[in-house]
Amino acid sequence: MIERKPIWTKSFINISISTFFIFTVFYALLTFIPLYVMEDLNGTVAEGGMATSVFLVSAIIVRLAAGMILDKFGNKEVLVFSVLMFTVSTILYIFIGTFAALLFLRFFHGIWFGLVTTVAGAIAADIIPPERRGEGMGYYAIAMNLAVVAGPFIALTLQPLVSSQIIFIIFGAIMVIGFICALVVQVQKIPKETAPARKLALINFLETKSMPIASVGFLISFAYASIITFISVYADALGLLQTASFFFVVYAVAMLLVRPFTGRLFDAKGPDYVIIPSIIVFALGLWTLSYTASSWMLLLSGALIGLGYGTLLPSFQTLAIEAADKHRSGYATGTFFAFYDTGIAIGAVALGVMASALGYSKLYLTLAIFVLLIGVYYKWISVKTAGSAKS
């Protein structure tokens, strides 16, 4: 009997903890910055949204170049420097006094978020034994999923109790711990294949082999943008705002309960056994949300979305990395998250327009159908990709 190589090594644990703190601060700021703009800088709701958009724009741009940066400087070096700069950027919020300065810092901060999350994902994939990558990436994704709950909880709990400067100091302290964890991660050097010089073109910043599955990730994240952007507004309109604070808690619990099984199933039986049911459950969660009229229905939809979408993200990321050559895992990760972040950014705007025209209930019903169609598209992509691999 062949002994299975371990997933939970010292380096994997530390890269997961560092990632958890990075995403905790990211989601905390995502929640807190609009409030900070309006209350401390006397800004508007639109300006609060602009501060979020600027961050995502710079993150998306840098993801396109992340693969080349990792090739040039090395994964460990980029990890340490990008976590350091992300930490420094977080601390700099303490000294912000104008909206213009905030926009500049948000753009600067987004650069390091885009880079650090790309390199961390690539390192995690390289640390995990290849035969257990689906299971391992599922565990790694728990760090990001838990941060969805932890970040807003910390921000909203502290906001009425202490000043904004104290909150930013706490965020900075969290990132100092994340930086220490990143320092002790051990990264195996991967030999780079020599290739002829190519002209500078957008396509050379991306991993073309990962683009088909990244396009599925784009569509899924587009639909998921309706959750992170509008769930509190929808719940408020239904008179369920207090229940909404538990939506992502239920989401996280449901996701954690199935994660050990779905990862192993992915490795043992193949991605379709995990992805197709998860897409159906995600669509069912959106359908339930569209008919929500009570607290239990809102929480049920949160559980279903946690089971469905919470499983899809690590599955798609794993497929994107496996589609590329080993030495191009950084390009694959950057490509996947560039598509994913773009889906969130476009979805937040486009679905806002749709919500104004249709109402939130019909929006979620439409998205449930849309997600089922994404399942058909994914199957077409997987069959086409398998056919190309055989030929």
Side-chain angles (χ1 to χ4, degrees), residues 333-347:
T333 306
T335 299
F336 175 77
F337 277 111
F339 276 68
Y340 175 84
D341 287 345
T342 302
I344 292 287
I346 295 176

Side-chain angles (χ1 to χ4, degrees), residues 28 182 229 273 343 368 389:
T229 308
Y273 284 84

